[in-house]
Amino acid sequence: MQPQDKLHTYEPQPYVELTHPQWSKNATIYEVNIRQYTPEGTFNAFASHLPRLKDLGVDILWLMPIQPIGEKNRKGERGSYYAVKDYQAVNPEFGTMDEFKSLVEQAHELGMYVILDWVANHSAWDNPLTISNPEWYTKDHNGSFQPTPWWDWTDIIDFDYENPQLRKYMTDSLIYWVKEANIDGYRADVAGFIPTNFWDTVRFELDKIKPVFMLAEWDARDLHKKAFDMTYAWELHDTLVDVNKGNGDASTVYSHFAHALSAWPDNAIKMNFVDNHDKNSWEESMFARHGKYLNAGIVLTVTAEGMPLIYSGQEAGLDRPLAFFEKDEITWKAHPVGDLYKQLFKLKHKNQALWNGNWGGKMIPVPNNNSKAIFSFARQKAEDKVFVVINFSDKAQSVSFNETIQLGEYTEYFSNKATVINADTQLSVPAYGYKVFVK
């Protein structure tokens, strides 16, 4: 037997060492494209949508970058949000610093939180840092500024994170917006292109000011340890697209979770989505990518472990890619996609089984006799439970289950029908359909 003092060496320790802000426990997130949101494309014009977004069930507003955009080597007429000319200023196209602060304050008054998209990996060619501190940038084999190697990002040039002065400047700039505008955190663009220890330091410094929420555009588990609350569920999105293309079925979705939930540490939140600005801008609309499985995908991304995202315009049935470098206004209207998200977000807020990280319940597989067509799982926390059954096929399906976690009395959420799930229960699920049983 091991001496007692030696056993502490083998005591398990949680991988995630950071503390998620309390307000993120059952939060949803919404990506804001200010330029395309209104005819004006300003903070003040967007602010008029805040009550609608609150009613939709949005908690965290992620604003795409709001800094001035570079003009040198600009792509298109308006340029890319991600070619930053000044890290401590506001794009005059969107308004003033005071107007941005007012937007943050209005969001806070409604019980919402604001995070800023942050482009730490690179700047615009005409950022003044290129003159004041050219040594902060990487250079090509000719000794010249260079875009991120291997990418076609010709409108930006790459920073060198081997330089400690750059790290301090960038950290100070991140601190600036939290102190100056009272924002609640950041979404980090291409977070994995930058050393993780930089982000670890950033999180430590920001949490000294207030509890912040950090989202990484990446999907590496090491980012969760000390720096980021949430990373992207890219593979879940791609798995759902594969189902629509005929390259996968319900068993493929099962395999995705078998890998993801085993490999990912507890309390590391994944951001689930059927659309975002990258997918919308560079690929196709959500309807083209997901086809008749779109609603099933939305139900899964809200009920699975993780935090669900809506991109600007999804709730209005955005059915085309928005231009990235030009003005391309969203058409606002009521749409069934928005209604579905509103229903699901209401459930997420009140049913603790669906909460984020360790506040919520783990996904438990519920094996069934129709595994190529039907994906089924349960989540349970405290007195709350959900049992989710999704038909990833183009035909109506009958299904029975071989587990015990799903047994009990429920209300089916969408039909509001009382339902008892017994050991011998056989369910019928329409083509592309779903049932969410709630307790």
Side-chain angles (χ1 to χ4, degrees):
M1 203 164 156
Q2 293 275 8
Q4 197 61 35
D5 62 338
K6 292 279 180 76
L7 281 177
H8 76 272
T9 308
Y10 302 100
E11 284 294 323
Q13 300 295 326
Y15 183 84
V16 175
E17 295 177 10
L18 58 79
T19 302
H20 304 303
Q22 181 71 21
W23 51 259
S24 67
K25 67 183 180 184
N26 58 354
T28 64
I29 186 165
Y30 185 98
E31 182 182 5
V32 182
N33 188 332
I34 291 285
R35 177 189 287 163
Q36 316 302 21
Y37 217 89
T38 59
E40 303 87 349
T42 61
F43 299 131
N44 285 346
F46 169 68
S48 67
H49 284 260
L50 290 176
R52 176 183 68 78
L53 293 172
K54 177 67 177 177
D55 186 59
L56 180 61
V58 171
D59 300 299
I60 301 172
L61 298 165
W62 146 28
L63 271 63
M64 293 172 73
I66 64 163
Q67 286 88 8
I69 293 168
E71 288 154 41
K72 184 179 179 182
N73 296 329
R74 173 179 281 194
K75 290 187 176 185
E77 186 186 335
R78 300 287 184 101
S80 167
Y81 288 133
Y82 296 87
V84 174
K85 191 173 180 179
D86 184 344
Y87 281 93
Q88 296 184 15
V90 164
N91 185 346
E93 183 187 335
F94 299 157
T96 65
M97 183 59 145
D98 283 340
E99 287 165 345
F100 175 64
K101 288 182 188 176
S102 171
L103 173 62
V104 174
E105 197 173 313
Q106 290 174 68
H108 286 167
E109 284 169 2
L110 287 169
M112 292 190 282
Y113 298 84
V114 178
I115 68 172
L116 276 190
D117 209 324
W118 194 261
V119 191
N121 179 66
H122 47 258
S123 81
W125 286 83
D126 46 0
N127 189 305
L129 297 175
T130 59
I131 296 163
S132 63
N133 297 91
E135 74 281 5
W136 289 2
Y137 291 86
T138 68
K139 308 296 191 300
D140 66 14
H141 57 279
N142 295 312
S144 306
F145 292 127
Q146 61 175 349
T148 306
W150 299 85
W151 292 85
D152 66 345
W153 301 341
T154 55
D155 56 342
I156 58 89
I157 48 176
D158 220 38
F159 281 124
D160 181 3
Y161 274 83
E162 294 301 299
N163 189 302
Q165 283 80 27
L166 166 66
R167 289 184 178 223
K168 181 169 191 318
Y169 166 82
M170 198 61 74
T171 304
D172 288 346
S173 296
L174 286 151
I175 289 168
Y176 169 82
W177 289 93
V178 175
K179 284 187 169 177
E180 187 69 21
N182 198 24
I183 65 162
D184 304 292
Y186 291 95
R187 178 263 188 190
D189 185 59
V190 293
F193 284 13
I194 297 159
T196 302
N197 56 21
F198 166 75
W199 295 119
D200 292 347
T201 302
V202 165
R203 178 60 180 258
F204 178 76
E205 294 298 331
L206 294 181
D207 272 344
K208 287 182 188 173
I209 306 165
K210 66 190 284 192
V212 293
F213 188 86
M214 298 288 285
L215 162 63
E217 189 207 9
W218 210 250
D219 59 355
R221 52 183 288 154
D222 62 320
L223 292 170
H224 285 279
K225 193 168 186 67
K226 295 180 178 179
F228 289 96
D229 301 274
M230 186 158 75
T231 57
Y232 275 55
W234 286 116
E235 286 186 12
L236 175 58
H237 169 274
D238 294 346
T239 299
L240 295 173
V241 171
D242 281 343
V243 171
N244 182 46
K245 288 178 178 171
N247 299 329
D249 55 31
S251 67
T252 318
V253 178
Y254 186 100
S255 296
H256 163 78
F257 284 107
H259 176 77
L261 297 177
S262 299
W264 230 251
D266 282 352
N267 208 25
I269 304 169
K270 300 294 284 182
M271 186 175 74
N272 302 330
F273 54 89
V274 296
D275 208 5
N276 61 41
H277 78 262
D278 284 301
K279 292 297 177 186
N280 173 271
S281 301
W282 312 121
E283 296 184 22
E284 299 172 298
S285 76
M286 61 180 174
F287 294 102
R289 275 176 284 119
H290 297 280
K292 292 181 178 177
Y293 295 99
L294 176 63
N295 286 2
I298 290 170
V299 169
L300 180 60
T301 56
V302 181
T303 57
E305 286 184 49
M307 185 186 296
L309 167 76
I310 301 184
Y311 175 50
S312 296
Q314 267 191 268
E315 72 272 37
L318 180 64
D319 60 358
R320 61 187 173 82
L322 293 173
F324 199 72
F325 306 114
E326 318 293 344
K327 179 75 173 169
D328 187 8
E329 197 186 319
I330 296 164
T331 303
W332 292 106
K333 59 184 183 295
H335 193 275
V337 166
D339 297 339
L340 179 59
Y341 271 116
K342 183 175 178 178
Q343 270 186 293
L344 288 163
F345 284 4
K346 189 175 178 184
L347 176 63
K348 181 176 177 74
H349 285 142
K350 71 182 183 183
N351 191 298
Q352 194 178 344
L354 298 184
W355 289 7
N356 301 317
N358 285 347
W359 286 295
K362 298 285 173 207
M363 285 175 76
I364 300 168
V366 178
N368 65 65
N369 68 342
N370 196 350
S371 60
K372 290 282 190 189
I374 301 289
F375 178 63
S376 46
F377 67 94
R379 296 179 68 188
Q380 185 170 15
K381 190 75 173 186
E383 301 301 308
D384 291 350
K385 190 196 288 191
V386 294
F387 172 41
V388 180
V389 183
I390 302 176
N391 184 357
F392 283 108
S393 82
D394 58 2
K395 295 181 177 63
Q397 301 287 344
S398 181
V399 60
S400 58
F401 307 95
N402 182 27
E403 240 297 346
T404 56
I405 183 73
Q406 81 282 4
L407 304 179
E409 296 179 7
Y410 297 89
T411 302
E412 200 288 309
Y413 187 62
F414 295 102
S415 63
N416 204 32
K417 277 188 185 170
T419 307
V420 178
I421 305 288
N422 295 316
D424 58 355
T425 293
Q426 190 105 4
L427 292 179
S428 297
V429 190
Y432 314 105
Y434 42 84
K435 292 180 186 289
V436 178
F437 299 97
V438 178
K439 185 182 250 191

